[in-house]
Amino acid sequence: MNSNASGNLEFSVLISVARLGDKAYGAEVRRDVAQRARKDYSVGAIYATLQRLEDKGLLSSSDTEPTPVRGGRSRRCFALTVPGRQAVRSGVATRRRLWEGVDLVLQRR
Amino acid sequence: MSPRTPPVLASQILAGLVAEAGYRDAILGDLEEEFAKLVSRSGVSFARRWYWSQTLRAIGPLTWSQSHDFGVSIRIAATAVATYLMSLEGIRAESALVRMVIPFGTTTLNRIVMLACVALAGLLAGWTIVKALPQRPVIGAIGILSLVLAVGTHHVVVGSSAETVFRSMKVLTLGLAMCSGSLLTLWRNPALF
């Protein structure tokens, strides 16, 4: 099992779940990722990613009580697992390392 | 059906794409919640268009993510085969249908519209039959039997004199298959009545 958030969207969704905390459910994650990435992701793309991250063991989920505004359906809330937190830390560290020195190069041109 | 509810067919398509009940409820619930917000903000027709666009855009990612599930893979493959057969038979029977339904002439536009309608009907019937087969085996079996009859009739019967009669039979059996598909959809969605 691949336990890393390998794709760009996977990583974006993972840090969005970390940021949103208790409010991390599909629609809210989609809004957050779309706002920050400035790209309109579909509900299907976000849920497919959430499910993949859960399969990898990086997220856990729990269902809330059904509500009338959702047609009597429940919300599925997501939270980072311990490997999920490690994946966020490792992903951030990798991206920082990749950025090292780039600012100087960009300023020169 | 109330116009302030999300499109039933779109919800059905989404529900059919997700095997796990928890995820299915979460996706449909999120869309319904967003739909209600859009209705009050931008109107029903905008909200319905948005719902349909979300459904169509979800087909690729959800089909791909569910494809690891053996049951879903089998269902998708069976639907593809059923759709192919029904659409193929529909297209073959198209000339007979054109004569029966549009007696005043067969322009190119008429033929294209008929082909599109037959292909779409085949797709919907194939999808509903295969999807609902486990829940309603008798009606599903009638649909599949009709399909087999339609295909069998075409292949068994040869000869120009008998062809016209059997073409009509083929159209009827194809129609029966499509009706049973529609019946299944209605059965599973009483709100449509």
Side-chain angles (χ1 to χ4, degrees):
Chain A
M1 182 176 70
N2 179 9
S3 61
N4 291 318
S6 48
N8 227 2
L9 183 57
E10 282 192 12
F11 191 68
S12 303
V13 167
L14 205 59
I15 51 178
S16 175
V17 170
R19 188 185 302 117
L20 290 167
D22 293 342
K23 287 189 288 180
Y25 72 99
E28 205 57 50
V29 170
R30 189 177 84 89
R31 252 190 299 275
D32 184 60
V33 172
Q35 197 183 352
R36 286 167 195 278
R38 298 203 175 110
K39 191 175 171 186
D40 180 29
Y41 289 104
S42 73
V43 171
I46 295 295
Y47 267 100
T49 309
L50 285 166
Q51 197 169 10
R52 208 160 45 239
L53 289 168
E54 195 175 7
D55 290 345
K56 286 181 179 180
L58 302 178
L59 292 179
S60 63
S61 69
S62 58
D63 293 333
T64 62
E65 287 297 308
T67 57
V69 73
R70 296 172 60 81
R73 298 184 185 92
S74 49
R75 246 179 214 169
R76 177 157 279 204
C77 291
F78 294 89
L80 288 180
T81 57
V82 174
R85 259 182 241 126
Q86 283 167 356
V88 170
R89 269 190 229 114
S90 139
V92 169
T94 304
R95 279 157 180 81
R96 277 199 187 127
R97 278 198 302 276
L98 287 168
W99 267 108
E100 273 171 21
V102 176
D103 279 351
L104 290 171
V105 175
L106 289 176
Q107 279 166 13
R108 255 183 258 146
R109 289 185 178 185
Chain B
M1 185 178 68
S2 162
R4 286 186 167 266
T5 56
V8 176
L9 181 62
S11 307
Q12 281 288 307
I13 291 170
L14 279 171
L17 288 172
V18 187
E20 198 200 315
Y23 266 97
R24 193 163 52 227
D25 269 9
I27 293 172
L28 292 174
D30 277 8
L31 284 171
E32 188 150 346
E33 196 179 317
E34 199 74 27
F35 178 85
K37 279 181 196 165
L38 283 174
V39 166
S40 55
R41 204 187 307 151
S42 311
V44 178
S45 55
F46 179 85
R48 290 176 77 84
R49 276 202 305 277
W50 175 84
Y51 198 100
W52 267 110
S53 81
Q54 287 296 321
T55 302
L56 295 175
R57 288 172 65 196
I59 291 173
L62 288 180
T63 306
W64 180 252
S65 75
Q66 300 288 310
S67 59
H68 63 275
D69 186 316
F70 184 69
V72 175
S73 302
I74 291 289
R75 210 162 69 184
I76 290 168
T79 303
V81 171
T83 301
Y84 172 74
L85 287 174
M86 295 199 80
S87 303
L88 190 72
E89 283 307 300
I91 288 163
R92 280 177 180 168
E94 175 260 349
S95 56
L97 271 170
V98 166
R99 277 200 298 277
M100 284 163 67
V101 182
I102 315 172
F104 48 83
T106 54
T107 63
T108 310
L109 183 65
N110 281 346
R111 293 177 76 91
I112 290 170
V113 170
M114 281 303 294
L115 278 172
C117 289
V118 166
L120 186 64
L123 177 76
L124 291 175
W127 172 252
T128 44
I129 287 170
V130 174
K131 189 168 156 254
L133 192 59
Q135 282 93 34
R136 303 284 175 200
V138 175
I139 300 180
I142 291 171
I144 288 175
L145 190 65
S146 308
L147 175 63
V148 171
L149 271 172
V151 178
T153 306
H154 177 84
H155 289 291
V156 168
V157 178
V158 281
S160 57
S161 58
E163 201 173 357
T164 314
V165 178
F166 282 100
R167 246 188 196 172
S168 303
M169 280 178 67
K170 194 169 71 176
V171 171
L172 284 174
T173 47
L174 185 70
L176 183 63
M178 288 175 179
C179 285
S180 58
S182 311
L183 191 65
L184 277 170
T185 311
L186 288 170
W187 200 325
R188 300 187 77 216
N189 298 285
L192 286 174
F193 281 111

